[in-house]
Amino acid sequence: MKNTAALLLLLAQTALAQTPTPNDQARFLAGLPQEGSPLATLAARSEFNSHAKELDAAWADAEERQLRPIREWSPLGLPEAVNDTSPLLYVFSGPDFLHARTFFPNASTYVLAAVEPVGLPPDVTKLSEGELGASLRNLRNTLNASLSFSFFITADMKKDLQATKLTGTLPVLYVFLARCGCHIQSVENVWLDAEGKVLTDKETKTPGARITFLGTQGQTQTLYYFATNIASWALKQDASFLRFCDTLGATNGFTKSASYLMHLPEFSTIRDYLLNHCRTMTQDDSGIPWRDFPRDRWNVQAFGWYPGPIDLFKQHLQPDLAEYYRNNEVAMIPFGIGYQWRPKQSTLIYGVSKMVVRKALPVVE
Protein backbone atom coordinates (compact mmCIF):
# COMPACT_ATOMS: atom_id res chain seq x y z
CA MET A 1 0.00 0.00 0.00
CA LYS A 2 2.84 2.38 0.89
CA ASN A 3 4.57 1.64 -2.42
CA THR A 4 1.35 2.36 -4.32
CA ALA A 5 0.86 5.67 -2.49
CA ALA A 6 4.45 6.65 -3.15
CA LEU A 7 4.05 5.82 -6.85
CA LEU A 8 0.87 7.88 -7.09
CA LEU A 9 2.60 10.80 -5.39
CA LEU A 10 5.54 10.53 -7.78
CA LEU A 11 3.22 10.45 -10.79
CA ALA A 12 1.33 13.48 -9.48
CA GLN A 13 4.57 15.38 -8.91
CA THR A 14 5.80 14.46 -12.40
CA ALA A 15 2.55 15.65 -13.98
CA LEU A 16 2.73 18.88 -12.00
CA ALA A 17 6.34 19.44 -13.05
CA GLN A 18 5.33 19.03 -16.69
CA THR A 19 2.55 21.62 -16.47
CA PRO A 20 3.88 24.90 -17.91
CA THR A 21 3.90 27.73 -15.41
CA PRO A 22 2.96 31.30 -16.38
CA ASN A 23 6.69 32.02 -16.54
CA ASP A 24 7.16 29.11 -18.95
CA GLN A 25 4.33 30.46 -21.09
CA ALA A 26 5.82 33.96 -21.03
CA ARG A 27 9.27 32.79 -22.08
CA PHE A 28 7.73 30.79 -24.93
CA LEU A 29 5.68 33.73 -26.20
CA ALA A 30 8.78 35.91 -25.89
CA GLY A 31 10.76 33.53 -28.09
CA LEU A 32 13.34 32.83 -25.39
CA PRO A 33 15.35 29.56 -25.04
CA GLN A 34 13.30 26.59 -23.86
CA GLU A 35 15.92 24.12 -22.60
CA GLY A 36 14.46 22.23 -19.65
CA SER A 37 11.04 23.80 -20.13
CA PRO A 38 7.83 21.73 -20.34
CA LEU A 39 7.35 23.56 -23.66
CA ALA A 40 10.67 22.43 -25.14
CA THR A 41 9.00 19.93 -27.47
CA LEU A 42 6.61 22.59 -28.78
CA ALA A 43 9.53 24.95 -29.18
CA ALA A 44 11.20 22.52 -31.59
CA ARG A 45 8.61 23.42 -34.21
CA SER A 46 9.57 25.72 -37.06
CA GLU A 47 6.88 28.25 -36.10
CA PHE A 48 8.58 28.87 -32.76
CA ASN A 49 12.05 29.08 -34.30
CA SER A 50 10.85 31.72 -36.77
CA HIS A 51 9.09 33.59 -33.98
CA ALA A 52 12.19 33.57 -31.77
CA LYS A 53 14.46 34.71 -34.58
CA GLU A 54 12.25 37.62 -35.56
CA LEU A 55 11.70 38.74 -31.97
CA ASP A 56 15.43 38.53 -31.23
CA ALA A 57 16.15 40.87 -34.14
CA ALA A 58 13.36 43.31 -33.25
CA TRP A 59 14.38 43.36 -29.60
CA ALA A 60 18.06 43.91 -30.39
CA ASP A 61 17.13 46.90 -32.55
CA ALA A 62 14.85 48.40 -29.88
CA GLU A 63 17.47 47.81 -27.19
CA GLU A 64 20.21 49.61 -29.10
CA ARG A 65 18.06 52.44 -30.47
CA GLN A 66 15.82 53.20 -27.50
CA LEU A 67 15.77 50.99 -24.39
CA ARG A 68 19.44 51.20 -23.42
CA PRO A 69 19.58 55.00 -23.98
CA ILE A 70 16.48 55.42 -21.79
CA ARG A 71 18.00 53.33 -18.99
CA GLU A 72 21.25 55.29 -19.12
CA TRP A 73 19.60 58.72 -19.27
CA SER A 74 16.73 58.33 -16.78
CA PRO A 75 18.78 58.42 -13.54
CA LEU A 76 20.18 61.79 -14.65
CA GLY A 77 17.03 63.30 -16.13
CA LEU A 78 14.34 61.88 -13.83
CA PRO A 79 16.17 61.32 -10.52
CA GLU A 80 13.14 61.58 -8.24
CA ALA A 81 11.10 59.07 -10.24
CA VAL A 82 13.49 56.47 -11.58
CA ASN A 83 14.97 55.53 -8.22
CA ASP A 84 11.67 55.69 -6.35
CA THR A 85 9.90 52.50 -5.25
CA SER A 86 6.51 54.24 -5.14
CA PRO A 87 3.79 52.76 -7.40
CA LEU A 88 3.72 53.89 -11.03
CA LEU A 89 0.38 54.95 -12.52
CA TYR A 90 0.37 54.73 -16.33
CA VAL A 91 -2.90 55.80 -17.97
CA PHE A 92 -3.79 55.36 -21.66
CA SER A 93 -1.08 52.72 -21.59
CA GLY A 94 -2.37 49.79 -23.60
CA PRO A 95 -0.25 46.79 -22.59
CA ASP A 96 2.95 48.89 -22.62
CA PHE A 97 4.74 47.45 -19.62
CA LEU A 98 7.96 47.72 -21.64
CA HIS A 99 8.40 51.50 -21.34
CA ALA A 100 7.02 51.59 -17.80
CA ARG A 101 9.69 49.12 -16.78
CA THR A 102 12.48 50.75 -18.78
CA PHE A 103 11.89 54.22 -17.34
CA PHE A 104 10.93 53.07 -13.83
CA PRO A 105 12.59 49.74 -12.95
CA ASN A 106 12.23 50.20 -9.19
CA ALA A 107 8.47 50.71 -8.83
CA SER A 108 6.93 48.36 -6.29
CA THR A 109 3.69 48.29 -8.27
CA TYR A 110 2.83 49.13 -11.87
CA VAL A 111 -0.75 50.13 -12.63
CA LEU A 112 -1.66 50.27 -16.32
CA ALA A 113 -5.08 51.40 -17.54
CA ALA A 114 -6.53 51.38 -21.05
CA VAL A 115 -9.60 50.23 -22.97
CA GLU A 116 -8.05 47.12 -24.53
CA PRO A 117 -9.50 43.87 -23.09
CA VAL A 118 -7.59 41.85 -20.52
CA GLY A 119 -8.15 38.36 -21.91
CA LEU A 120 -7.28 35.12 -20.14
CA PRO A 121 -3.81 33.89 -19.16
CA PRO A 122 -2.43 32.41 -22.39
CA ASP A 123 -1.79 28.69 -22.75
CA VAL A 124 0.08 27.75 -25.92
CA THR A 125 -0.50 24.03 -25.29
CA LYS A 126 -4.16 24.57 -26.19
CA LEU A 127 -3.35 25.90 -29.65
CA SER A 128 -3.86 23.40 -32.44
CA GLU A 129 -1.08 22.63 -34.89
CA GLY A 130 -2.54 25.05 -37.38
CA GLU A 131 -3.13 27.82 -34.84
CA LEU A 132 0.34 28.16 -33.36
CA GLY A 133 2.01 29.90 -36.29
CA ALA A 134 -0.86 32.33 -36.89
CA SER A 135 -1.11 33.17 -33.19
CA LEU A 136 2.60 33.89 -32.84
CA ARG A 137 2.56 35.93 -36.06
CA ASN A 138 -0.31 38.11 -34.83
CA LEU A 139 1.47 38.56 -31.53
CA ARG A 140 4.54 39.84 -33.38
CA ASN A 141 2.34 42.19 -35.41
CA THR A 142 0.99 43.65 -32.17
CA LEU A 143 4.49 44.05 -30.74
CA ASN A 144 6.00 45.50 -33.89
CA ALA A 145 4.70 49.06 -33.55
CA SER A 146 5.74 49.32 -29.91
CA LEU A 147 9.24 48.05 -30.59
CA SER A 148 9.66 50.15 -33.73
CA PHE A 149 7.89 53.39 -32.82
CA SER A 150 7.49 53.19 -28.99
CA PHE A 151 3.67 53.12 -29.13
CA PHE A 152 0.86 50.75 -30.09
CA ILE A 153 -1.43 51.52 -33.02
CA THR A 154 -4.83 51.11 -31.39
CA ALA A 155 -6.82 49.97 -34.43
CA ASP A 156 -4.19 47.41 -35.46
CA MET A 157 -3.81 46.15 -31.89
CA LYS A 158 -7.57 45.68 -31.54
CA LYS A 159 -7.63 43.56 -34.68
CA ASP A 160 -4.54 41.51 -33.79
CA LEU A 161 -5.61 40.86 -30.19
CA GLN A 162 -8.91 39.39 -31.39
CA ALA A 163 -7.61 37.43 -34.36
CA THR A 164 -6.46 34.24 -32.59
CA LYS A 165 -6.78 32.35 -29.32
CA LEU A 166 -4.00 34.48 -27.82
CA THR A 167 -6.50 37.21 -27.00
CA GLY A 168 -6.36 40.35 -24.92
CA THR A 169 -3.40 42.19 -23.49
CA LEU A 170 -2.01 39.40 -21.31
CA PRO A 171 0.08 37.74 -24.07
CA VAL A 172 1.77 41.09 -24.77
CA LEU A 173 2.38 41.71 -21.07
CA TYR A 174 3.88 38.21 -20.81
CA VAL A 175 6.34 38.95 -23.62
CA PHE A 176 7.47 42.24 -22.11
CA LEU A 177 7.89 40.75 -18.65
CA ALA A 178 9.99 37.88 -19.95
CA ARG A 179 12.09 40.01 -22.28
CA CYS A 180 12.75 42.50 -19.46
CA GLY A 181 14.27 39.69 -17.41
CA CYS A 182 11.40 39.37 -14.92
CA HIS A 183 10.25 36.01 -13.51
CA ILE A 184 6.48 35.64 -13.26
CA GLN A 185 5.32 34.05 -10.02
CA SER A 186 1.54 34.26 -10.32
CA VAL A 187 -1.17 35.57 -12.64
CA GLU A 188 -4.86 36.01 -11.93
CA ASN A 189 -7.86 37.76 -13.40
CA VAL A 190 -9.27 40.34 -10.99
CA TRP A 191 -12.11 42.87 -10.83
CA LEU A 192 -12.74 46.07 -8.89
CA ASP A 193 -15.80 46.69 -6.78
CA ALA A 194 -17.36 50.14 -6.37
CA GLU A 195 -14.95 51.03 -3.56
CA GLY A 196 -11.85 50.00 -5.53
CA LYS A 197 -11.32 46.74 -3.68
CA VAL A 198 -9.68 43.96 -5.72
CA LEU A 199 -11.92 40.92 -6.20
CA THR A 200 -10.89 37.51 -7.51
CA ASP A 201 -14.23 35.71 -7.32
CA LYS A 202 -16.82 38.15 -8.65
CA GLU A 203 -16.96 39.84 -12.05
CA THR A 204 -17.70 43.58 -12.21
CA LYS A 205 -17.60 46.34 -14.81
CA THR A 206 -13.88 46.88 -14.21
CA PRO A 207 -11.89 43.76 -15.15
CA GLY A 208 -8.17 43.48 -14.75
CA ALA A 209 -5.21 41.20 -14.22
CA ARG A 210 -2.70 41.00 -11.38
CA ILE A 211 0.77 39.64 -12.08
CA THR A 212 3.30 39.12 -9.32
CA PHE A 213 6.89 38.79 -10.47
CA LEU A 214 10.50 38.92 -9.39
CA GLY A 215 12.48 41.82 -10.82
CA THR A 216 16.01 41.57 -12.09
CA GLN A 217 17.37 42.36 -8.63
CA GLY A 218 15.25 39.64 -7.02
CA GLN A 219 12.68 42.04 -5.58
CA THR A 220 8.97 41.15 -5.62
CA GLN A 221 6.93 43.53 -7.75
CA THR A 222 3.32 43.64 -8.92
CA LEU A 223 1.75 44.58 -12.24
CA TYR A 224 -1.93 45.48 -12.56
CA TYR A 225 -3.64 46.02 -15.88
CA PHE A 226 -7.22 47.31 -15.90
CA ALA A 227 -9.50 47.51 -18.93
CA THR A 228 -11.47 50.63 -18.13
CA ASN A 229 -12.82 53.80 -19.68
CA ILE A 230 -11.37 56.83 -17.90
CA ALA A 231 -13.33 59.52 -19.70
CA SER A 232 -14.92 61.91 -17.20
CA TRP A 233 -18.47 60.73 -17.91
CA ALA A 234 -17.43 57.10 -17.38
CA LEU A 235 -15.60 57.84 -14.12
CA LYS A 236 -18.67 59.71 -12.87
CA GLN A 237 -20.74 56.56 -13.43
CA ASP A 238 -18.11 54.16 -12.06
CA ALA A 239 -15.19 55.54 -10.05
CA SER A 240 -13.87 52.12 -9.02
CA PHE A 241 -10.55 52.63 -10.82
CA LEU A 242 -9.91 55.96 -9.08
CA ARG A 243 -10.89 54.45 -5.73
CA PHE A 244 -8.34 51.68 -6.35
CA CYS A 245 -5.70 54.29 -7.18
CA ASP A 246 -6.50 56.03 -3.89
CA THR A 247 -5.23 52.93 -2.07
CA LEU A 248 -1.81 53.27 -3.70
CA GLY A 249 -0.83 56.40 -1.84
CA ALA A 250 1.50 58.84 -3.60
CA THR A 251 2.42 57.57 -7.07
CA ASN A 252 4.64 58.54 -9.95
CA GLY A 253 2.68 59.25 -13.12
CA PHE A 254 3.56 58.32 -16.68
CA THR A 255 1.85 58.56 -20.04
CA LYS A 256 2.77 58.86 -23.70
CA SER A 257 1.09 58.57 -27.09
CA ALA A 258 -2.13 59.41 -25.26
CA SER A 259 -4.02 60.83 -28.27
CA TYR A 260 -4.05 64.27 -26.57
CA LEU A 261 -7.16 63.13 -24.70
CA MET A 262 -6.29 65.11 -21.57
CA HIS A 263 -6.33 68.24 -23.75
CA LEU A 264 -10.11 67.75 -24.00
CA PRO A 265 -12.73 68.68 -21.39
CA GLU A 266 -14.05 65.11 -21.61
CA PHE A 267 -10.91 63.86 -19.84
CA SER A 268 -10.46 66.60 -17.25
CA THR A 269 -11.21 64.25 -14.32
CA ILE A 270 -8.24 61.95 -14.91
CA ARG A 271 -6.03 64.95 -15.72
CA ASP A 272 -6.87 66.60 -12.41
CA TYR A 273 -6.50 63.32 -10.56
CA LEU A 274 -2.92 62.92 -11.80
CA LEU A 275 -2.05 66.51 -10.90
CA ASN A 276 -3.46 66.11 -7.39
CA HIS A 277 -2.12 62.64 -6.54
CA CYS A 278 1.21 62.11 -8.33
CA ARG A 279 4.64 62.91 -6.91
CA THR A 280 6.08 63.22 -10.41
CA MET A 281 4.68 63.20 -13.94
CA THR A 282 6.67 61.99 -16.95
CA GLN A 283 5.05 62.31 -20.37
CA ASP A 284 5.34 63.41 -23.96
CA ASP A 285 3.37 66.42 -25.24
CA SER A 286 0.24 64.27 -25.77
CA GLY A 287 -0.35 64.01 -22.02
CA ILE A 288 -1.35 66.81 -19.65
CA PRO A 289 -1.18 70.17 -21.49
CA TRP A 290 1.84 72.29 -20.59
CA ARG A 291 -0.48 75.13 -19.54
CA ASP A 292 -2.39 72.92 -17.09
CA PHE A 293 0.48 72.19 -14.69
CA PRO A 294 -0.21 74.55 -11.75
CA ARG A 295 3.13 76.35 -11.35
CA ASP A 296 2.42 77.08 -7.70
CA ARG A 297 2.38 73.33 -7.04
CA TRP A 298 4.59 71.89 -9.79
CA ASN A 299 8.08 72.42 -11.10
CA VAL A 300 7.98 71.49 -14.79
CA GLN A 301 10.73 71.19 -17.35
CA ALA A 302 11.00 69.82 -20.85
CA PHE A 303 13.67 67.86 -22.70
CA GLY A 304 14.40 67.13 -26.32
CA TRP A 305 12.62 69.01 -29.09
CA TYR A 306 9.14 70.30 -29.83
CA PRO A 307 8.25 69.99 -33.52
CA GLY A 308 4.55 70.05 -32.63
CA PRO A 309 2.04 67.22 -33.01
CA ILE A 310 1.91 64.92 -35.99
CA ASP A 311 -0.68 65.87 -38.65
CA LEU A 312 -3.34 63.60 -37.14
CA PHE A 313 -3.33 65.75 -33.98
CA LYS A 314 -2.27 69.12 -35.44
CA GLN A 315 -5.14 70.88 -33.65
CA HIS A 316 -3.31 70.26 -30.35
CA LEU A 317 -0.30 72.49 -31.04
CA GLN A 318 0.81 74.14 -27.78
CA PRO A 319 2.11 77.69 -28.43
CA ASP A 320 3.19 78.12 -24.80
CA LEU A 321 5.26 74.94 -24.96
CA ALA A 322 6.82 76.07 -28.25
CA GLU A 323 7.70 79.37 -26.58
CA TYR A 324 9.40 77.49 -23.71
CA TYR A 325 11.63 75.69 -26.21
CA ARG A 326 12.46 78.96 -28.00
CA ASN A 327 13.35 80.84 -24.83
CA ASN A 328 15.21 78.19 -22.85
CA GLU A 329 18.29 76.06 -23.26
CA VAL A 330 16.62 72.65 -23.36
CA ALA A 331 18.65 69.50 -22.68
CA MET A 332 18.54 66.89 -25.41
CA ILE A 333 17.48 63.25 -25.00
CA PRO A 334 19.30 60.35 -26.70
CA PHE A 335 16.14 58.45 -27.69
CA GLY A 336 12.79 58.90 -29.38
CA ILE A 337 9.46 58.65 -27.58
CA GLY A 338 5.78 59.11 -28.43
CA TYR A 339 4.28 59.96 -31.80
CA GLN A 340 7.32 62.00 -32.84
CA TRP A 341 9.49 58.94 -32.39
CA ARG A 342 12.28 59.77 -34.81
CA PRO A 343 15.68 60.91 -33.48
CA LYS A 344 15.87 64.59 -32.51
CA GLN A 345 12.11 65.14 -32.74
CA SER A 346 10.75 63.82 -29.46
CA THR A 347 9.32 65.89 -26.62
CA LEU A 348 9.63 64.75 -23.01
CA ILE A 349 8.02 66.69 -20.17
CA TYR A 350 8.89 66.05 -16.54
CA GLY A 351 7.00 67.56 -13.65
CA VAL A 352 7.87 67.27 -9.95
CA SER A 353 5.35 68.17 -7.29
CA LYS A 354 6.68 70.87 -4.98
CA MET A 355 5.77 68.56 -2.13
CA VAL A 356 8.72 66.38 -3.22
CA VAL A 357 12.23 67.37 -2.14
CA ARG A 358 14.41 67.27 -5.24
CA LYS A 359 17.46 65.08 -5.08
CA ALA A 360 20.88 66.26 -6.15
CA LEU A 361 21.70 65.24 -9.68
CA PRO A 362 24.63 62.81 -10.09
CA VAL A 363 27.84 64.47 -11.16
CA VAL A 364 28.87 63.49 -14.67
CA GLU A 365 32.59 63.81 -15.29
Side-chain angles (χ1 to χ4, degrees):
M1 181 66 70
K2 290 183 179 180
N3 290 339
T4 302
L7 179 59
L8 290 174
L9 178 60
L10 178 61
L11 290 174
Q13 291 174 337
T14 302
L16 183 62
Q18 293 176 343
T19 301
T21 66
N23 195 65
D24 294 327
Q25 299 278 358
R27 289 183 59 82
F28 185 94
L29 293 175
L32 295 173
Q34 296 295 304
E35 290 84 354
S37 166
L39 298 172
T41 300
L42 196 60
R45 291 177 51 174
S46 60
E47 296 96 323
F48 175 82
N49 291 327
S50 297
H51 178 67
K53 186 175 181 179
E54 291 193 31
L55 268 188
D56 282 346
W59 196 269
D61 175 68
E63 174 68 23
E64 179 64 25
R65 174 175 40 80
Q66 189 185 51
L67 304 180
R68 180 180 53 78
I70 289 174
R71 286 196 301 270
E72 293 176 351
W73 178 85
S74 293
L76 302 175
L78 319 174
E80 295 86 357
V82 72
N83 295 312
D84 193 5
T85 59
S86 298
L88 179 74
L89 177 55
Y90 183 0
V91 295
F92 309 108
S93 61
D96 182 29
F97 174 74
L98 175 60
H99 289 90
R101 178 72 181 180
T102 304
F103 274 102
F104 310 100
N106 298 303
S108 60
T109 303
Y110 299 87
V111 179
L112 277 56
V115 296
E116 287 78 21
V118 181
L120 296 173
D123 185 352
V124 296
T125 66
K126 294 183 178 178
L127 298 175
S128 69
E129 185 172 345
E131 291 171 333
L132 180 63
S135 296
L136 294 178
R137 183 167 56 252
N138 277 345
L139 180 58
R140 290 196 303 276
N141 289 342
T142 300
L143 294 165
N144 182 61
S146 181
L147 293 177
S148 299
F149 311 128
S150 89
F151 59 89
F152 290 99
I153 300 174
T154 303
D156 292 347
M157 180 168 58
K158 181 178 180 181
K159 179 183 67 176
D160 291 333
L161 292 180
Q162 295 175 346
T164 70
K165 290 185 177 179
L166 295 178
T167 60
T169 56
L170 276 173
V172 180
L173 294 172
Y174 272 34
V175 171
F176 286 154
L177 281 157
R179 283 276 175 173
C180 287
C182 303
H183 182 99
I184 297 176
Q185 294 180 303
S186 65
V187 180
E188 54 190 337
N189 286 93
V190 298
W191 296 265
L192 296 178
D193 70 8
E195 302 304 317
K197 180 182 178 181
V198 177
L199 307 175
T200 58
D201 57 354
K202 182 181 179 181
E203 296 187 15
T204 70
K205 295 180 180 179
T206 309
R210 177 168 56 196
I211 303 175
T212 303
F213 63 94
L214 294 179
T216 53
Q217 304 301 315
Q219 73 277 36
T220 299
Q221 297 171 285
T222 304
L223 165 63
Y224 287 95
Y225 173 86
F226 291 106
T228 184
N229 187 337
I230 54 176
S232 296
W233 67 264
L235 291 173
K236 185 176 181 180
Q237 293 181 1
D238 179 6
S240 58
F241 176 68
L242 294 186
R243 301 292 77 79
F244 168 80
C245 292
D246 288 344
T247 68
L248 300 172
T251 61
N252 293 305
F254 181 57
T255 194
K256 64 177 184 57
S257 308
S259 299
Y260 297 87
L261 292 175
M262 287 187 287
H263 289 229
L264 306 175
E266 294 88 341
F267 289 86
S268 60
T269 300
I270 190 63
R271 179 200 66 202
D272 293 344
Y273 187 91
L274 295 173
L275 289 171
N276 289 325
H277 289 81
C278 290
R279 298 163 52 86
T280 67
M281 191 69 207
T282 304
Q283 59 170 56
D284 64 3
D285 65 300
S286 74
I288 297 171
W290 180 257
R291 66 178 181 271
D292 286 345
F293 282 92
R295 296 317 197 265
D296 61 329
R297 294 190 288 117
W298 284 83
N299 291 311
V300 191
Q301 66 183 121
F303 299 93
W305 299 261
Y306 183 60
I310 60 175
D311 286 345
L312 180 63
F313 301 109
K314 60 184 179 182
Q315 69 272 29
H316 296 298
L317 178 70
Q318 301 182 66
D320 49 352
L321 180 57
E323 183 180 2
Y324 174 90
Y325 275 82
R326 285 195 301 269
N327 296 337
N328 292 274
E329 185 175 342
V330 179
M332 301 297 98
I333 52 176
F335 53 86
I337 197 76
Y339 296 124
Q340 296 282 17
W341 54 272
R342 292 180 176 84
K344 299 185 179 181
Q345 292 191 19
S346 296
T347 304
L348 190 70
I349 296 169
Y350 181 51
V352 180
S353 169
K354 291 185 178 181
M355 300 301 292
V356 177
V357 178
R358 290 192 66 105
K359 300 176 183 178
L361 293 174
V363 176
V364 179
E365 298 182 358

